[in-house]
């Protein structure tokens, strides 16, 4: 386990939120033996305005400097993470002309660099390890500007063009080539990144097993009760509406429940018209285990496309940790779960697997799933993560 290091995370997510984040899980555990600074998602001037109008949530007072930009966040184990909120940056992603985009984005990069240097000086962070978590847009211009000891890219998904347009592909490739090492969350992602940087390794997602264990199922539900299949997570462009709708139509006796932040409204428009479907707002991370334990089956209906091939979904271990069977579309080659999870290559198989798992579950299988998930705890993953950081350090500083 790596210890005694100063680690700064340039993040593409927020520290708090309504779902589990691998970056937050890993950094929370690394904070027990290292100094951690988490740099909050880079909000824009537009986000400030929307927050003031009550249409969005952002820490405006800290962003504008009315309150301290750096505060301490306590982890579940009472470790401390330094939480840094940046000033608002300019909304530039809509700019199509590349030279104009670069001129305005250089202002954002300057703001980002200046604030990071201030934080490094204030906190006396000598020789920091910079971990850029899925944010090559800001990670790339920071390389070599922070007197860093090591620069690592933590990549937990494939790039998409929804926010940064197609330019993000070139930026990420440049970033991959220049960092000291890359840590990905799936074998597929790693195979791609190794072509750009030989110091590329895999540390797969885990589960907060201690949080889920008290809610694990002991036995299957009564045969006379209505079976429930559940999905918990963001409802976005990755979701395979066609496969899901087919299963819902063919299995009217099964109740399907979807809980999460709705980004793709077509999902609700298409599926909510069925009597055996219910949608619920997203819940806090600590509420997920109890909700999952009420289900008879967990579903992961993602589209089978190039973007989703990169995914190692957090929810797969969470479903298993409470003992429920899992049925997913064959969106990614998750060989680790071959014996535990049913993976459907078309909508008919997706429906058939759901039906089969609900009819054939038993207490022995429940225990096997829980025992399997226990091996994938975040405590184990953070040791792997630290070991990879040590490998990258030794490669850069062989003496």
């Amino acid at each position: 386990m790596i210890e005694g290091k100063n680690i700064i995370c340039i993040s593409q997510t927020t520290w708090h939120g309504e779902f589990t984040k691998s970056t937050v899980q890993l950094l929370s555990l690394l904070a027990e033996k290292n100094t951690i600074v988490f740099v909050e998602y880079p909000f824009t001037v537009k986000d400030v305005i929307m927050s003031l109008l009550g249409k969005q949530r952002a820490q405006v007072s800290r962003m504008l400097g009315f309150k301290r930009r750096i505060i301490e966040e306590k982890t579940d184990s009472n470790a401390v993470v330094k939480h840094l909120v940046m000033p608002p940056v300019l909304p530039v992603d809509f700019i199509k002309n590349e030279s104009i985009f670069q001129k305005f984005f250089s202002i954002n990069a300057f703001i980002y660099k200046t604030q990071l240097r201030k934080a490094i000086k204030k906190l006396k962070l000598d020789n920091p390890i910079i971990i850029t978590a899925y944010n090559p847009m800001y990670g790339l211009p920071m390389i070599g500007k922070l007197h860093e000891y090591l620069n690592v890219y933590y990549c937990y998904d494939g790039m998409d063009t929804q926010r940064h347009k197609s330019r993000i592909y070139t930026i990420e490739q440049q970033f991959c080539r220049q960092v000291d090492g890359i840590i990905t969350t799936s074998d597929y992602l790693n195979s791609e990144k190794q072509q750009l940087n030989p110091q590329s390794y895999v540390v797969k997602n885990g589960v907060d097993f201690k949080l889920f264990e008290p809610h694990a199922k002991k036995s299957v539900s009564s045969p006379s009760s209505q079976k429930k299949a559940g999905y918990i997570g963001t409802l976005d462009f990755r979701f395979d509406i066609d496969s899901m709708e087919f299963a819902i139509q063919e299995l009217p006796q099964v109740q399907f429940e979807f809980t999460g932040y709705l980004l793709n409204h077509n999902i609700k428009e298409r599926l909510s018209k069925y009597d055996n479907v219910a949608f619920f707002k997203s819940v806090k991370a600590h509420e997920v285990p109890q909700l999952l334990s009420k289900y008879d089956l967990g579903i992961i209906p993602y589209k089978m496309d190039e973007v989703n091939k990169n995914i190692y979904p957090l929810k797969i271990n969470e479903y298993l940790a409470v003992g429920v069977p899992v049925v997913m579309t064959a969106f990614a080659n998750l060989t680790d779960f071959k014996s535990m999870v049913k993976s459907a290559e078309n909508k008919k198989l997706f429906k058939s697997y759901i039906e089969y798992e609900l009819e054939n579950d038993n207490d022995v299988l429940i225990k096997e799933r829980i025992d399997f998930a226990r091996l994938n705890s975040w405590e184990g993953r953070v040791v792997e993560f630290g070991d990879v950081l040590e490998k990258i350090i030794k490669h850069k500083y062989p003496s």
Side-chain angles (χ1 to χ4, degrees):
M1 176 68 173
I2 196 166
E3 57 183 86
K5 303 296 184 183
N6 296 318
I7 299 175
I8 299 172
C9 178
I10 296 174
S11 178
Q12 180 66 352
T13 186
T14 58
W15 183 260
H16 296 289
E18 296 168 331
F19 52 89
T20 304
K21 303 160 188 175
S22 62
T23 307
V24 172
Q25 293 289 332
L26 290 167
L27 292 174
S28 295
L29 292 168
L30 285 169
E32 294 177 13
K33 295 185 178 181
N34 301 274
T35 300
I36 303 294
V37 177
F38 179 87
V39 185
E40 187 84 353
Y41 170 90
F43 287 101
T44 69
V45 174
K46 179 183 175 182
D47 295 318
V48 172
I49 296 170
M50 296 299 284
S51 296
L52 292 173
L53 293 174
K55 296 181 179 180
Q56 196 174 317
R57 285 181 295 175
Q59 300 184 52
V60 175
S61 295
R62 292 176 63 197
M63 290 166 65
L64 297 178
F66 299 143
K67 293 184 179 179
R68 287 182 300 165
R69 295 194 191 282
I70 303 174
I71 64 171
E72 292 187 348
E73 293 282 0
K74 284 284 186 73
T75 70
D76 292 339
S77 61
N78 285 320
V80 172
V81 170
K82 308 288 186 182
H83 183 267
L84 171 61
V85 171
M86 290 292 192
V89 293
L90 300 172
V92 297
D93 290 314
F94 70 93
I95 300 173
K96 293 182 179 180
N97 183 284
E98 196 60 27
S99 61
I100 296 174
F101 167 81
Q102 289 296 339
K103 287 178 182 178
F104 280 97
F105 182 72
S106 66
I107 298 172
N108 290 350
F110 177 79
I111 293 169
Y112 209 90
K113 179 184 68 177
T114 301
Q115 288 299 319
L116 269 180
R117 284 180 169 176
K118 284 182 179 179
I120 290 169
K121 184 177 180 180
K122 181 177 181 179
L123 299 172
K124 299 178 181 178
L125 303 176
D126 298 327
N127 300 317
I129 293 175
I130 307 298
I131 297 177
T132 299
Y134 197 61
N135 191 355
M137 183 66 74
Y138 282 89
L140 181 60
M142 295 306 112
I143 291 180
K145 303 295 192 299
L146 305 172
H147 304 291
E148 64 266 26
Y149 177 67
L150 199 72
N151 211 309
V152 176
Y153 180 27
Y154 177 49
C155 182
Y156 49 77
D157 208 343
M159 287 290 128
D160 69 80
T161 59
Q162 283 206 321
R163 181 182 177 191
H164 298 303
K165 313 307 179 196
S166 59
R167 63 172 63 96
I168 192 61
Y169 295 129
T170 302
I171 289 168
E172 193 204 28
Q173 287 182 0
Q174 291 175 357
F175 186 56
C176 287
R177 291 189 177 100
Q178 292 184 40
V179 291
D180 298 309
I182 303 171
I183 303 176
T184 69
T185 54
S186 75
D187 294 320
Y188 186 86
L189 264 178
N190 188 56
S191 65
E192 286 186 336
K193 303 311 177 195
Q194 279 192 329
Q195 297 177 41
L196 301 169
N197 191 320
Q199 289 297 304
S200 184
Y201 302 88
V202 181
V203 177
K204 294 175 181 177
N205 285 329
V207 61
D208 188 351
F209 191 79
K210 289 184 289 187
L211 180 66
F212 283 79
E213 188 175 23
H215 301 280
K217 298 170 77 73
K218 300 294 189 295
S219 60
V220 296
S221 59
S222 169
S224 60
S225 62
Q226 184 184 29
K227 299 293 184 180
K228 284 187 177 183
Y231 171 91
I232 296 181
T234 306
L235 296 153
D236 58 17
F237 65 94
R238 297 174 298 180
F239 196 96
D240 185 347
I241 306 176
D242 293 337
S243 293
M244 198 67 254
E245 185 172 33
F246 181 79
I248 290 166
Q249 290 172 331
E250 295 293 311
L251 300 170
Q253 76 280 12
V254 179
Q255 176 71 16
F256 290 90
E257 296 187 355
F258 303 92
T259 301
Y261 187 33
L262 184 64
L263 290 176
N264 183 353
H265 292 275
N266 288 333
I267 299 170
K268 191 172 183 179
E269 289 174 8
R270 290 252 316 255
L271 304 183
S272 60
K273 62 186 177 184
Y274 298 100
D275 293 335
N276 59 330
V277 170
F279 282 87
F280 301 96
K281 292 182 179 179
S282 55
V283 298
K284 301 293 184 183
H286 70 272
E287 298 174 306
V288 170
Q290 186 174 5
L291 180 57
L292 283 182
S293 66
K294 297 177 182 178
Y295 293 142
D296 299 290
L297 180 136
I299 47 178
I300 310 178
Y302 288 164
K303 292 177 182 176
M304 291 177 280
D305 58 24
E306 288 301 311
V307 173
N308 291 344
K309 281 182 179 179
N310 300 288
I311 297 174
Y312 180 112
L314 281 165
K315 61 180 64 65
I316 195 168
N317 279 310
E318 295 177 346
Y319 290 153
L320 294 173
V322 296
V324 299
V326 181
V327 174
M328 67 180 198
T329 52
F331 60 87
N333 186 23
L334 301 174
T335 54
D336 295 3
F337 298 93
K338 191 173 182 180
S339 63
M340 282 287 136
V341 172
K342 287 287 193 297
S343 180
E345 296 177 353
N346 56 62
K347 63 183 182 181
K348 289 185 178 179
L349 273 177
F350 185 65
K351 170 261 177 184
S352 297
Y353 286 158
I354 292 173
E355 189 173 31
Y356 176 87
E357 290 295 304
L358 289 173
E359 291 177 355
N360 294 279
D361 198 14
N362 59 61
D363 298 354
V364 173
L365 291 174
I366 288 174
K367 185 178 183 303
E368 287 179 359
R369 296 181 195 114
I370 296 168
D371 290 342
F372 182 90
R374 193 192 312 271
L375 300 175
N376 295 332
S377 70
W378 281 116
E379 285 79 6
R381 296 302 196 223
V382 79
V383 172
E384 293 178 39
F385 196 92
D387 288 346
V388 170
L389 288 179
E390 293 283 12
K391 286 181 182 178
I392 298 171
I393 289 170
K394 288 180 180 177
H395 182 266
K396 184 174 182 178
Y397 306 100
S399 58

